[in-house]
mmCIF file of all heavy atoms in Angstrom:
data_model
loop_
_atom_site.group_PDB
_atom_site.id
_atom_site.type_symbol
_atom_site.label_atom_id
_atom_site.label_comp_id
_atom_site.label_asym_id
_atom_site.label_seq_id
_atom_site.Cartn_x
_atom_site.Cartn_y
_atom_site.Cartn_z
ATOM 1 N N LEU A 255 -38.975 -7.694 4.689
ATOM 2 C CA LEU A 255 -39.702 -7.109 5.814
ATOM 3 C C LEU A 255 -39.985 -5.640 5.571
ATOM 4 O O LEU A 255 -41.095 -5.166 5.807
ATOM 5 C CB LEU A 255 -38.883 -7.248 7.100
ATOM 6 C CG LEU A 255 -38.802 -8.634 7.717
ATOM 7 C CD1 LEU A 255 -38.478 -8.538 9.188
ATOM 8 C CD2 LEU A 255 -40.118 -9.345 7.541
ATOM 9 N N SER A 256 -38.983 -4.960 5.103
ATOM 10 C CA SER A 256 -39.153 -3.528 4.864
ATOM 11 C C SER A 256 -40.305 -3.276 3.899
ATOM 12 O O SER A 256 -41.161 -2.428 4.133
ATOM 13 C CB SER A 256 -37.855 -2.954 4.320
ATOM 14 O OG SER A 256 -37.944 -1.560 4.194
ATOM 15 N N HIS A 257 -40.311 -4.042 2.822
ATOM 16 C CA HIS A 257 -41.397 -3.904 1.845
ATOM 17 C C HIS A 257 -42.746 -4.195 2.489
ATOM 18 O O HIS A 257 -43.696 -3.434 2.326
ATOM 19 C CB HIS A 257 -41.185 -4.866 0.679
ATOM 20 C CG HIS A 257 -40.188 -4.370 -0.319
ATOM 21 N ND1 HIS A 257 -40.365 -3.216 -1.051
ATOM 22 C CD2 HIS A 257 -38.995 -4.877 -0.719
ATOM 23 C CE1 HIS A 257 -39.329 -3.036 -1.844
ATOM 24 N NE2 HIS A 257 -38.473 -4.028 -1.664
ATOM 25 N N THR A 258 -42.822 -5.294 3.190
ATOM 26 C CA THR A 258 -44.088 -5.692 3.797
ATOM 27 C C THR A 258 -44.592 -4.620 4.764
ATOM 28 O O THR A 258 -45.769 -4.274 4.765
ATOM 29 C CB THR A 258 -43.932 -7.027 4.540
ATOM 30 O OG1 THR A 258 -43.344 -7.970 3.662
ATOM 31 C CG2 THR A 258 -45.275 -7.548 5.018
ATOM 32 N N VAL A 259 -43.665 -4.114 5.551
ATOM 33 C CA VAL A 259 -44.046 -3.082 6.509
ATOM 34 C C VAL A 259 -44.595 -1.856 5.776
ATOM 35 O O VAL A 259 -45.636 -1.316 6.143
ATOM 36 C CB VAL A 259 -42.838 -2.679 7.377
ATOM 37 C CG1 VAL A 259 -43.129 -1.392 8.131
ATOM 38 C CG2 VAL A 259 -42.482 -3.796 8.325
ATOM 39 N N ARG A 260 -43.889 -1.464 4.730
ATOM 40 C CA ARG A 260 -44.350 -0.277 4.009
ATOM 41 C C ARG A 260 -45.748 -0.494 3.437
ATOM 42 O O ARG A 260 -46.621 0.368 3.557
ATOM 43 C CB ARG A 260 -43.359 0.064 2.897
ATOM 44 C CG ARG A 260 -43.557 1.471 2.329
ATOM 45 C CD ARG A 260 -42.453 1.880 1.375
ATOM 46 N NE ARG A 260 -42.174 0.850 0.380
ATOM 47 C CZ ARG A 260 -43.000 0.545 -0.622
ATOM 48 N NH1 ARG A 260 -44.143 1.174 -0.744
ATOM 49 N NH2 ARG A 260 -42.676 -0.393 -1.476
ATOM 50 N N ARG A 261 -45.963 -1.682 2.861
ATOM 51 C CA ARG A 261 -47.296 -1.982 2.310
ATOM 52 C C ARG A 261 -48.360 -1.897 3.397
ATOM 53 O O ARG A 261 -49.405 -1.279 3.218
ATOM 54 C CB ARG A 261 -47.296 -3.384 1.688
ATOM 55 C CG ARG A 261 -46.679 -3.451 0.312
ATOM 56 C CD ARG A 261 -46.989 -4.785 -0.345
ATOM 57 N NE ARG A 261 -46.451 -5.929 0.388
ATOM 58 C CZ ARG A 261 -45.305 -6.521 0.119
ATOM 59 N NH1 ARG A 261 -44.554 -6.076 -0.882
ATOM 60 N NH2 ARG A 261 -44.875 -7.542 0.819
ATOM 61 N N LEU A 262 -48.050 -2.526 4.531
ATOM 62 C CA LEU A 262 -49.026 -2.528 5.626
ATOM 63 C C LEU A 262 -49.339 -1.106 6.073
ATOM 64 O O LEU A 262 -50.502 -0.732 6.237
ATOM 65 C CB LEU A 262 -48.480 -3.337 6.809
ATOM 66 C CG LEU A 262 -49.366 -3.354 8.049
ATOM 67 C CD1 LEU A 262 -50.680 -4.067 7.768
ATOM 68 C CD2 LEU A 262 -48.659 -4.015 9.224
ATOM 69 N N GLU A 263 -48.301 -0.319 6.223
ATOM 70 C CA GLU A 263 -48.508 1.058 6.691
ATOM 71 C C GLU A 263 -49.312 1.864 5.687
ATOM 72 O O GLU A 263 -50.195 2.632 6.056
ATOM 73 C CB GLU A 263 -47.154 1.715 6.969
ATOM 74 C CG GLU A 263 -46.453 1.096 8.178
ATOM 75 C CD GLU A 263 -45.122 1.755 8.496
ATOM 76 O OE1 GLU A 263 -44.488 2.265 7.546
ATOM 77 O OE2 GLU A 263 -44.719 1.762 9.671
ATOM 78 N N GLU A 264 -49.005 1.685 4.410
ATOM 79 C CA GLU A 264 -49.760 2.378 3.375
ATOM 80 C C GLU A 264 -51.233 2.023 3.454
ATOM 81 O O GLU A 264 -52.112 2.860 3.420
ATOM 82 C CB GLU A 264 -49.229 1.985 1.993
ATOM 83 C CG GLU A 264 -48.304 3.028 1.392
ATOM 84 C CD GLU A 264 -47.547 2.462 0.206
ATOM 85 O OE1 GLU A 264 -48.069 1.544 -0.451
ATOM 86 O OE2 GLU A 264 -46.407 2.919 -0.052
ATOM 87 N N GLN A 265 -51.456 0.734 3.596
ATOM 88 C CA GLN A 265 -52.814 0.205 3.604
ATOM 89 C C GLN A 265 -53.609 0.725 4.804
ATOM 90 O O GLN A 265 -54.778 1.071 4.684
ATOM 91 C CB GLN A 265 -52.707 -1.316 3.676
ATOM 92 C CG GLN A 265 -53.913 -2.055 3.243
ATOM 93 C CD GLN A 265 -53.664 -3.543 3.356
ATOM 94 O OE1 GLN A 265 -52.897 -3.993 4.228
ATOM 95 N NE2 GLN A 265 -54.289 -4.308 2.504
ATOM 96 N N MET A 266 -52.953 0.760 5.962
ATOM 97 C CA MET A 266 -53.653 1.170 7.170
ATOM 98 C C MET A 266 -53.771 2.683 7.251
ATOM 99 O O MET A 266 -54.601 3.205 7.981
ATOM 100 C CB MET A 266 -52.914 0.670 8.407
ATOM 101 C CG MET A 266 -52.873 -0.839 8.528
ATOM 102 S SD MET A 266 -52.348 -1.332 10.175
ATOM 103 C CE MET A 266 -50.920 -0.316 10.407
ATOM 104 N N GLY A 267 -52.915 3.372 6.530
ATOM 105 C CA GLY A 267 -52.966 4.827 6.586
ATOM 106 C C GLY A 267 -52.273 5.405 7.801
ATOM 107 O O GLY A 267 -52.421 6.588 8.110
ATOM 108 N N THR A 268 -51.536 4.569 8.503
ATOM 109 C CA THR A 268 -50.793 5.063 9.659
ATOM 110 C C THR A 268 -49.538 4.221 9.839
ATOM 111 O O THR A 268 -49.572 3.019 9.606
ATOM 112 C CB THR A 268 -51.644 5.032 10.942
ATOM 113 O OG1 THR A 268 -50.839 5.451 12.038
ATOM 114 C CG2 THR A 268 -52.165 3.642 11.224
ATOM 115 N N PRO A 269 -48.430 4.853 10.218
ATOM 116 C CA PRO A 269 -47.210 4.078 10.421
ATOM 117 C C PRO A 269 -47.302 3.180 11.652
ATOM 118 O O PRO A 269 -48.082 3.437 12.571
ATOM 119 C CB PRO A 269 -46.126 5.138 10.620
ATOM 120 C CG PRO A 269 -46.845 6.387 10.977
ATOM 121 C CD PRO A 269 -48.206 6.289 10.394
ATOM 122 N N VAL A 270 -46.520 2.126 11.610
ATOM 123 C CA VAL A 270 -46.443 1.213 12.747
ATOM 124 C C VAL A 270 -45.294 1.636 13.654
ATOM 125 O O VAL A 270 -45.375 1.537 14.865
ATOM 126 C CB VAL A 270 -46.223 -0.231 12.258
ATOM 127 C CG1 VAL A 270 -46.057 -1.182 13.432
ATOM 128 C CG2 VAL A 270 -47.364 -0.665 11.367
ATOM 129 N N TRP A 271 -44.238 2.109 13.027
ATOM 130 C CA TRP A 271 -43.109 2.611 13.804
ATOM 131 C C TRP A 271 -42.743 4.005 13.325
ATOM 132 O O TRP A 271 -42.924 4.361 12.159
ATOM 133 C CB TRP A 271 -41.881 1.706 13.617
ATOM 134 C CG TRP A 271 -42.054 0.352 14.188
ATOM 135 C CD1 TRP A 271 -42.026 0.009 15.511
ATOM 136 C CD2 TRP A 271 -42.277 -0.863 13.465
ATOM 137 N NE1 TRP A 271 -42.225 -1.336 15.651
ATOM 138 C CE2 TRP A 271 -42.373 -1.896 14.420
ATOM 139 C CE3 TRP A 271 -42.399 -1.171 12.120
ATOM 140 C CZ2 TRP A 271 -42.592 -3.219 14.056
ATOM 141 C CZ3 TRP A 271 -42.622 -2.482 11.753
ATOM 142 C CH2 TRP A 271 -42.717 -3.493 12.718
ATOM 143 N N ARG A 272 -42.222 4.765 14.226
ATOM 144 C CA ARG A 272 -41.639 6.042 13.891
ATOM 145 C C ARG A 272 -40.145 5.791 13.711
ATOM 146 O O ARG A 272 -39.522 5.125 14.537
ATOM 147 C CB ARG A 272 -41.888 7.016 15.030
ATOM 148 C CG ARG A 272 -41.540 8.439 14.755
ATOM 149 C CD ARG A 272 -42.252 9.353 15.764
ATOM 150 N NE ARG A 272 -42.273 8.737 17.092
ATOM 151 C CZ ARG A 272 -41.222 8.700 17.911
ATOM 152 N NH1 ARG A 272 -40.094 9.244 17.550
ATOM 153 N NH2 ARG A 272 -41.317 8.125 19.087
ATOM 154 N N ARG A 273 -39.594 6.246 12.599
ATOM 155 C CA ARG A 273 -38.166 6.031 12.353
ATOM 156 C C ARG A 273 -37.380 7.137 13.022
ATOM 157 O O ARG A 273 -37.473 8.299 12.642
ATOM 158 C CB ARG A 273 -37.864 6.037 10.852
ATOM 159 C CG ARG A 273 -38.141 4.735 10.136
ATOM 160 C CD ARG A 273 -39.591 4.406 10.075
ATOM 161 N NE ARG A 273 -39.889 3.273 9.183
ATOM 162 C CZ ARG A 273 -41.065 2.739 9.069
ATOM 163 N NH1 ARG A 273 -42.083 3.186 9.786
ATOM 164 N NH2 ARG A 273 -41.260 1.728 8.243
ATOM 165 N N GLU A 274 -36.633 6.752 14.020
ATOM 166 C CA GLU A 274 -35.818 7.742 14.718
ATOM 167 C C GLU A 274 -34.383 7.312 14.511
ATOM 168 O O GLU A 274 -33.928 6.353 15.119
ATOM 169 C CB GLU A 274 -36.201 7.742 16.194
ATOM 170 C CG GLU A 274 -35.597 8.894 16.961
ATOM 171 C CD GLU A 274 -36.626 9.475 17.927
ATOM 172 O OE1 GLU A 274 -37.665 9.981 17.457
ATOM 173 O OE2 GLU A 274 -36.395 9.394 19.135
ATOM 174 N N GLY A 275 -33.690 8.032 13.646
ATOM 175 C CA GLY A 275 -32.370 7.561 13.257
ATOM 176 C C GLY A 275 -32.573 6.225 12.589
ATOM 177 O O GLY A 275 -33.404 6.087 11.697
ATOM 178 N N ARG A 276 -31.875 5.218 13.042
ATOM 179 C CA ARG A 276 -32.124 3.905 12.454
ATOM 180 C C ARG A 276 -32.892 3.011 13.403
ATOM 181 O O ARG A 276 -32.967 1.810 13.225
ATOM 182 C CB ARG A 276 -30.799 3.265 12.016
ATOM 183 C CG ARG A 276 -29.864 2.942 13.147
ATOM 184 C CD ARG A 276 -28.491 2.627 12.578
ATOM 185 N NE ARG A 276 -27.654 1.945 13.544
ATOM 186 C CZ ARG A 276 -26.354 1.750 13.367
ATOM 187 N NH1 ARG A 276 -25.760 2.172 12.271
ATOM 188 N NH2 ARG A 276 -25.650 1.125 14.279
ATOM 189 N N ARG A 277 -33.447 3.635 14.425
ATOM 190 C CA ARG A 277 -34.256 2.874 15.379
ATOM 191 C C ARG A 277 -35.735 2.936 15.021
ATOM 192 O O ARG A 277 -36.176 3.929 14.421
ATOM 193 C CB ARG A 277 -34.060 3.417 16.792
ATOM 194 C CG ARG A 277 -32.812 2.890 17.493
ATOM 195 C CD ARG A 277 -33.050 2.406 18.878
ATOM 196 N NE ARG A 277 -32.589 1.046 19.146
ATOM 197 C CZ ARG A 277 -31.668 0.375 18.508
ATOM 198 N NH1 ARG A 277 -31.080 0.878 17.452
ATOM 199 N NH2 ARG A 277 -31.340 -0.850 18.886
ATOM 200 N N LEU A 278 -36.464 1.894 15.366
ATOM 201 C CA LEU A 278 -37.909 1.871 15.125
ATOM 202 C C LEU A 278 -38.625 2.002 16.457
ATOM 203 O O LEU A 278 -38.451 1.157 17.344
ATOM 204 C CB LEU A 278 -38.313 0.553 14.459
ATOM 205 C CG LEU A 278 -37.704 0.285 13.084
ATOM 206 C CD1 LEU A 278 -38.145 -1.074 12.574
ATOM 207 C CD2 LEU A 278 -38.123 1.373 12.121
#
Side-chain angles (χ1 to χ4, degrees):
Chain A
L255 286 203
S256 185
H257 280 297
T258 308
V259 166
R260 195 172 48 71
R261 281 192 299 264
L262 177 65
E263 291 181 331
E264 259 166 28
Q265 200 180 31
M266 295 194 312
T268 177
V270 177
W271 293 285
R272 189 161 38 77
R273 278 68 170 174
E274 190 139 297
R276 65 193 197 191
R277 278 228 126 23
L278 298 178

